[in-house]
Amino acid sequence: MYLKCYPTYDLQGLLFGLDRTRVCRWVKILLPVLEMTLGRECVLPARQIRSAEEFFRAFPGVKDVFIDGTERPVQKPKNLRRRKKMYSGKKRQTTRKGLIMTDETRQIGFIPMSKNGRRHDKRLLDKVDIIRHIPPEVTIWADTGFQGIDKQHPNTQIPKKGTRKRPLSPEQKQENKIISGIRIIAKRLNFDYII
């Protein structure tokens, strides 16, 4: 529970009927035991990736990376300027927006800090500047909210977008279905607890 929800020691003490100092001691005692049993370090995903080495440390032996944006509703701020910045027209409420990057095993390796809900997914991705650190042999799977990422990374899979003047052909629609079927891996994750 501590690693998944990351509650405060006060909350954990309340839930388990312990004092907060006792909870802190148990976490420090049991966390190394859990890591030794699992055979890996139990830490939160990276907030920044500044090089290809850091990327491969977060995603060891990865061939595919799935990028998606998520929005989490928050309480409306009393300040009207802050409320306007946090308002998401897509969700029609005040939200915090975040990005998530996973691999084919559904391991979350990268989550930048969440921002106001008004920002666009692609703009958030450009701000964290991670695309240039992803090697060309790794395939990036993204949705149509990340249009233009294919110009930054040569190995990108994004569904095609149709227009009124140029609707999608049946082959393009079939290709979009295949891409969506593969991308659903990233969508099935519930990552509201991390943001």
Side-chain angles (χ1 to χ4, degrees), residues 66-126:
F66 302 90
I67 300 175
D68 205 359
T70 181
E71 291 183 72
R72 168 176 66 96
V74 294
Q75 189 174 2
K76 278 186 189 175
K78 289 183 180 179
N79 185 325
L80 291 176
R81 288 180 71 192
R82 284 194 64 218
R83 187 184 308 176
K84 189 175 179 182
K85 284 183 179 179
M86 294 179 80
Y87 183 78
S88 168
K90 181 180 176 184
K91 299 287 184 181
R92 298 182 192 272
Q93 60 186 342
T94 53
T95 61
R96 295 288 290 174
K97 185 173 274 194
L99 292 175
I100 186 168
M101 188 179 291
T102 63
D103 62 5
E104 57 269 0
T105 63
R106 297 184 186 179
Q107 179 182 345
I108 301 170
F110 177 70
I111 299 178
M113 298 299 288
S114 61
K115 300 292 183 186
N116 294 328
R118 189 173 185 169
R119 296 198 182 178
H120 193 273
D121 292 346
K122 175 70 167 71
R123 189 169 155 206
L124 279 176
L125 188 67
D126 289 342

Side-chain angles (χ1 to χ4, degrees), residues 169-195:
S169 68
E171 294 84 23
Q172 289 173 326
K173 288 180 182 179
Q174 187 64 30
E175 187 179 321
N176 283 355
K177 279 187 179 182
I178 292 168
I179 291 172
S180 296
I182 294 170
R183 267 196 62 255
I184 200 72
I185 291 171
K187 280 302 235 186
R188 285 191 181 148
L189 289 167
N190 181 6
F191 35 78
D192 288 341
Y193 66 89
I194 294 173
I195 296 174

Side-chain angles (χ1 to χ4, degrees), residues 122 125-126 129 131-132 148-154 156:
K122 175 70 167 71
L125 188 67
D126 289 342
D129 194 32
I131 298 299
R132 68 186 175 108
I149 196 175
D150 50 348
K151 292 174 181 68
Q152 296 173 326
H153 192 273
T156 305

